[in-house]
PDB file of all heavy atoms in Angstrom:
ATOM      1  N   HIS T 278      -7.040  -0.734   3.792  1.00 93.00           N
ATOM      2  CA  HIS T 278      -7.365  -0.313   5.162  1.00 93.00           C
ATOM      3  C   HIS T 278      -7.795   1.152   5.211  1.00 93.00           C
ATOM      4  O   HIS T 278      -8.832   1.495   5.777  1.00 93.00           O
ATOM      5  CB  HIS T 278      -6.164  -0.546   6.094  1.00 93.00           C
ATOM      6  CG  HIS T 278      -6.377   0.035   7.463  1.00 93.00           C
ATOM      7  ND1 HIS T 278      -5.742   1.184   7.871  1.00 93.00           N
ATOM      8  CD2 HIS T 278      -7.167  -0.347   8.484  1.00 93.00           C
ATOM      9  CE1 HIS T 278      -6.131   1.474   9.103  1.00 93.00           C
ATOM     10  NE2 HIS T 278      -6.989   0.563   9.498  1.00 93.00           N
ATOM     11  N   ILE T 282     -11.579   2.868   6.153  1.00 95.00           N
ATOM     12  CA  ILE T 282     -11.808   3.850   7.219  1.00 95.00           C
ATOM     13  C   ILE T 282     -12.359   5.152   6.642  1.00 95.00           C
ATOM     14  O   ILE T 282     -13.311   5.736   7.175  1.00 95.00           O
ATOM     15  CB  ILE T 282     -10.511   4.119   8.016  1.00 95.00           C
ATOM     16  CG1 ILE T 282      -9.969   2.833   8.635  1.00 95.00           C
ATOM     17  CG2 ILE T 282     -10.730   5.204   9.067  1.00 95.00           C
ATOM     18  CD1 ILE T 282     -10.867   2.167   9.650  1.00 95.00           C
ATOM     19  N   GLU T 300     -12.870  11.644  15.177  1.00 93.00           N
ATOM     20  CA  GLU T 300     -12.418  10.254  15.109  1.00 93.00           C
ATOM     21  C   GLU T 300     -11.759   9.871  16.431  1.00 93.00           C
ATOM     22  O   GLU T 300     -10.928  10.605  16.948  1.00 93.00           O
ATOM     23  CB  GLU T 300     -11.438  10.147  13.934  1.00 93.00           C
ATOM     24  CG  GLU T 300     -10.914   8.775  13.671  1.00 93.00           C
ATOM     25  CD  GLU T 300      -9.700   8.383  14.493  1.00 93.00           C
ATOM     26  OE1 GLU T 300      -9.001   9.260  15.034  1.00 93.00           O
ATOM     27  OE2 GLU T 300      -9.456   7.180  14.605  1.00 93.00           O
ATOM     28  N   PHE T 301     -12.149   8.719  16.990  1.00 92.00           N
ATOM     29  CA  PHE T 301     -11.586   8.206  18.240  1.00 92.00           C
ATOM     30  C   PHE T 301     -11.155   6.749  18.080  1.00 92.00           C
ATOM     31  O   PHE T 301     -11.287   5.947  18.988  1.00 92.00           O
ATOM     32  CB  PHE T 301     -12.624   8.294  19.370  1.00 92.00           C
ATOM     33  CG  PHE T 301     -12.709   9.629  20.028  1.00 92.00           C
ATOM     34  CD1 PHE T 301     -13.325  10.686  19.394  1.00 92.00           C
ATOM     35  CD2 PHE T 301     -12.174   9.834  21.291  1.00 92.00           C
ATOM     36  CE1 PHE T 301     -13.419  11.926  19.990  1.00 92.00           C
ATOM     37  CE2 PHE T 301     -12.256  11.079  21.891  1.00 92.00           C
ATOM     38  CZ  PHE T 301     -12.880  12.122  21.247  1.00 92.00           C
ATOM     39  N   GLY T 302     -10.654   6.365  16.910  1.00 87.00           N
ATOM     40  CA  GLY T 302     -10.374   4.967  16.609  1.00 87.00           C
ATOM     41  C   GLY T 302      -9.123   4.379  17.230  1.00 87.00           C
ATOM     42  O   GLY T 302      -8.957   3.166  17.242  1.00 87.00           O
ATOM     43  N   SER T 303      -8.240   5.212  17.778  1.00 86.00           N
ATOM     44  CA  SER T 303      -6.975   4.696  18.320  1.00 86.00           C
ATOM     45  C   SER T 303      -7.194   3.642  19.399  1.00 86.00           C
ATOM     46  O   SER T 303      -6.405   2.709  19.527  1.00 86.00           O
ATOM     47  CB  SER T 303      -6.141   5.826  18.907  1.00 86.00           C
ATOM     48  OG  SER T 303      -5.825   6.753  17.912  1.00 86.00           O
ATOM     49  N   ARG T 304      -8.260   3.776  20.140  1.00 87.00           N
ATOM     50  CA  ARG T 304      -8.516   2.876  21.264  1.00 87.00           C
ATOM     51  C   ARG T 304      -8.837   1.452  20.818  1.00 87.00           C
ATOM     52  O   ARG T 304      -8.733   0.523  21.603  1.00 87.00           O
ATOM     53  CB  ARG T 304      -9.677   3.415  22.085  1.00 87.00           C
ATOM     54  CG  ARG T 304      -9.402   4.781  22.643  1.00 87.00           C
ATOM     55  CD  ARG T 304     -10.680   5.503  22.985  1.00 87.00           C
ATOM     56  NE  ARG T 304     -10.361   6.843  23.420  1.00 87.00           N
ATOM     57  CZ  ARG T 304     -10.732   7.326  24.587  1.00 87.00           C
ATOM     58  NH1 ARG T 304     -11.430   6.601  25.419  1.00 87.00           N
ATOM     59  NH2 ARG T 304     -10.406   8.551  24.906  1.00 87.00           N
ATOM     60  N   ARG T 305      -9.266   1.325  19.579  1.00 86.00           N
ATOM     61  CA  ARG T 305      -9.665   0.001  19.085  1.00 86.00           C
ATOM     62  C   ARG T 305      -8.910  -0.426  17.827  1.00 86.00           C
ATOM     63  O   ARG T 305      -9.191  -1.460  17.255  1.00 86.00           O
ATOM     64  CB  ARG T 305     -11.165  -0.007  18.802  1.00 86.00           C
ATOM     65  CG  ARG T 305     -11.968   0.080  20.085  1.00 86.00           C
ATOM     66  CD  ARG T 305     -13.438   0.311  19.811  1.00 86.00           C
ATOM     67  NE  ARG T 305     -14.150   0.524  21.057  1.00 86.00           N
ATOM     68  CZ  ARG T 305     -14.220   1.664  21.709  1.00 86.00           C
ATOM     69  NH1 ARG T 305     -13.609   2.735  21.246  1.00 86.00           N
ATOM     70  NH2 ARG T 305     -14.903   1.769  22.831  1.00 86.00           N
ATOM     71  N   ALA T 306      -7.978   0.381  17.395  1.00 84.00           N
ATOM     72  CA  ALA T 306      -7.241   0.102  16.157  1.00 84.00           C
ATOM     73  C   ALA T 306      -6.352  -1.133  16.311  1.00 84.00           C
ATOM     74  O   ALA T 306      -5.953  -1.488  17.421  1.00 84.00           O
ATOM     75  CB  ALA T 306      -6.389   1.307  15.774  1.00 84.00           C
ATOM     76  N   GLN T 307      -6.041  -1.738  15.199  1.00 86.00           N
ATOM     77  CA  GLN T 307      -5.143  -2.892  15.205  1.00 86.00           C
ATOM     78  C   GLN T 307      -3.707  -2.405  15.075  1.00 86.00           C
ATOM     79  O   GLN T 307      -3.165  -2.287  13.981  1.00 86.00           O
ATOM     80  CB  GLN T 307      -5.510  -3.838  14.076  1.00 86.00           C
ATOM     81  CG  GLN T 307      -6.889  -4.421  14.272  1.00 86.00           C
ATOM     82  CD  GLN T 307      -7.288  -5.355  13.161  1.00 86.00           C
ATOM     83  OE1 GLN T 307      -6.615  -5.476  12.149  1.00 86.00           O
ATOM     84  NE2 GLN T 307      -8.397  -6.032  13.347  1.00 86.00           N
ATOM     85  N   GLY T 308      -3.111  -2.080  16.192  1.00 86.00           N
ATOM     86  CA  GLY T 308      -1.728  -1.638  16.237  1.00 86.00           C
ATOM     87  C   GLY T 308      -1.564  -0.137  16.031  1.00 86.00           C
ATOM     88  O   GLY T 308      -2.505   0.575  15.674  1.00 86.00           O
ATOM     89  N   ALA T 309      -0.331   0.320  16.264  1.00 87.00           N
ATOM     90  CA  ALA T 309      -0.027   1.750  16.187  1.00 87.00           C
ATOM     91  C   ALA T 309      -0.249   2.314  14.791  1.00 87.00           C
ATOM     92  O   ALA T 309      -0.835   3.385  14.623  1.00 87.00           O
ATOM     93  CB  ALA T 309       1.407   2.004  16.648  1.00 87.00           C
ATOM     94  N   ASP T 310       0.218   1.599  13.763  1.00 88.00           N
ATOM     95  CA  ASP T 310       0.026   2.094  12.396  1.00 88.00           C
ATOM     96  C   ASP T 310      -1.453   2.188  12.053  1.00 88.00           C
ATOM     97  O   ASP T 310      -1.884   3.125  11.387  1.00 88.00           O
ATOM     98  CB  ASP T 310       0.734   1.195  11.383  1.00 88.00           C
ATOM     99  CG  ASP T 310       2.240   1.374  11.379  1.00 88.00           C
ATOM    100  OD1 ASP T 310       2.720   2.393  11.917  1.00 88.00           O
ATOM    101  OD2 ASP T 310       2.930   0.500  10.842  1.00 88.00           O
ATOM    102  N   GLY T 311      -2.246   1.218  12.513  1.00 89.00           N
ATOM    103  CA  GLY T 311      -3.690   1.254  12.277  1.00 89.00           C
ATOM    104  C   GLY T 311      -4.323   2.481  12.905  1.00 89.00           C
ATOM    105  O   GLY T 311      -5.213   3.103  12.330  1.00 89.00           O
ATOM    106  N   ALA T 312      -3.849   2.850  14.089  1.00 91.00           N
ATOM    107  CA  ALA T 312      -4.391   4.018  14.781  1.00 91.00           C
ATOM    108  C   ALA T 312      -4.033   5.311  14.052  1.00 91.00           C
ATOM    109  O   ALA T 312      -4.886   6.156  13.798  1.00 91.00           O
ATOM    110  CB  ALA T 312      -3.864   4.065  16.218  1.00 91.00           C
ATOM    111  N   VAL T 313      -2.767   5.465  13.719  1.00 92.00           N
ATOM    112  CA  VAL T 313      -2.282   6.699  13.102  1.00 92.00           C
ATOM    113  C   VAL T 313      -2.856   6.873  11.693  1.00 92.00           C
ATOM    114  O   VAL T 313      -3.396   7.922  11.345  1.00 92.00           O
ATOM    115  CB  VAL T 313      -0.738   6.718  13.070  1.00 92.00           C
ATOM    116  CG1 VAL T 313      -0.221   7.914  12.304  1.00 92.00           C
ATOM    117  CG2 VAL T 313      -0.180   6.705  14.494  1.00 92.00           C
ATOM    118  N   LEU T 314      -2.741   5.825  10.878  1.00 93.00           N
ATOM    119  CA  LEU T 314      -3.237   5.916   9.510  1.00 93.00           C
ATOM    120  C   LEU T 314      -4.761   5.895   9.462  1.00 93.00           C
ATOM    121  O   LEU T 314      -5.358   6.481   8.563  1.00 93.00           O
ATOM    122  CB  LEU T 314      -2.639   4.800   8.652  1.00 93.00           C
ATOM    123  CG  LEU T 314      -1.127   4.874   8.475  1.00 93.00           C
ATOM    124  CD1 LEU T 314      -0.619   3.692   7.669  1.00 93.00           C
ATOM    125  CD2 LEU T 314      -0.702   6.190   7.849  1.00 93.00           C
ATOM    126  N   GLY T 315      -5.380   5.258  10.443  1.00 92.00           N
ATOM    127  CA  GLY T 315      -6.843   5.287  10.541  1.00 92.00           C
ATOM    128  C   GLY T 315      -7.350   6.691  10.807  1.00 92.00           C
ATOM    129  O   GLY T 315      -8.344   7.137  10.219  1.00 92.00           O
ATOM    130  N   ALA T 316      -6.677   7.415  11.687  1.00 94.00           N
ATOM    131  CA  ALA T 316      -7.063   8.804  11.966  1.00 94.00           C
ATOM    132  C   ALA T 316      -6.898   9.659  10.717  1.00 94.00           C
ATOM    133  O   ALA T 316      -7.756  10.483  10.380  1.00 94.00           O
ATOM    134  CB  ALA T 316      -6.222   9.363  13.115  1.00 94.00           C
ATOM    135  N   ARG T 317      -5.818   9.452   9.997  1.00 94.00           N
ATOM    136  CA  ARG T 317      -5.582  10.175   8.748  1.00 94.00           C
ATOM    137  C   ARG T 317      -6.688   9.872   7.741  1.00 94.00           C
ATOM    138  O   ARG T 317      -7.231  10.765   7.090  1.00 94.00           O
ATOM    139  CB  ARG T 317      -4.217   9.767   8.193  1.00 94.00           C
ATOM    140  CG  ARG T 317      -3.862  10.411   6.885  1.00 94.00           C
ATOM    141  CD  ARG T 317      -2.524   9.848   6.355  1.00 94.00           C
ATOM    142  NE  ARG T 317      -2.183  10.470   5.102  1.00 94.00           N
ATOM    143  CZ  ARG T 317      -2.693  10.119   3.924  1.00 94.00           C
ATOM    144  NH1 ARG T 317      -3.563   9.130   3.852  1.00 94.00           N
ATOM    145  NH2 ARG T 317      -2.344  10.750   2.825  1.00 94.00           N
ATOM    146  N   THR T 327      -9.358  14.400  15.249  1.00 93.00           N
ATOM    147  CA  THR T 327      -9.072  13.099  15.846  1.00 93.00           C
ATOM    148  C   THR T 327      -8.668  13.263  17.304  1.00 93.00           C
ATOM    149  O   THR T 327      -8.234  14.340  17.723  1.00 93.00           O
ATOM    150  CB  THR T 327      -7.938  12.392  15.077  1.00 93.00           C
ATOM    151  OG1 THR T 327      -7.695  11.112  15.688  1.00 93.00           O
ATOM    152  CG2 THR T 327      -6.653  13.196  15.088  1.00 93.00           C
ATOM    153  N   CYS T 329      -6.275  11.301  18.257  1.00 92.00           N
ATOM    154  CA  CYS T 329      -4.910  10.761  18.117  1.00 92.00           C
ATOM    155  C   CYS T 329      -3.902  11.896  17.906  1.00 92.00           C
ATOM    156  O   CYS T 329      -3.718  12.381  16.790  1.00 92.00           O
ATOM    157  CB  CYS T 329      -4.886   9.767  16.951  1.00 92.00           C
ATOM    158  SG  CYS T 329      -3.302   8.952  16.726  1.00 92.00           S
ATOM    159  N   SER T 332      -1.257  11.945  15.074  1.00 93.00           N
ATOM    160  CA  SER T 332      -1.742  12.133  13.701  1.00 93.00           C
ATOM    161  C   SER T 332      -1.697  13.610  13.293  1.00 93.00           C
ATOM    162  O   SER T 332      -1.488  13.920  12.127  1.00 93.00           O
ATOM    163  CB  SER T 332      -3.152  11.572  13.537  1.00 93.00           C
ATOM    164  OG  SER T 332      -3.102  10.166  13.565  1.00 93.00           O
TER     165      SER T 332
END
Side-chain angles (χ1 to χ4, degrees):
H278 172 254
I282 301 297
E300 183 275 341
F301 277 75
S303 299
R304 300 158 184 236
R305 291 170 186 82
Q307 296 179 352
D310 285 343
V313 174
L314 296 177
R317 178 185 180 279
T327 180
C329 184
S332 288

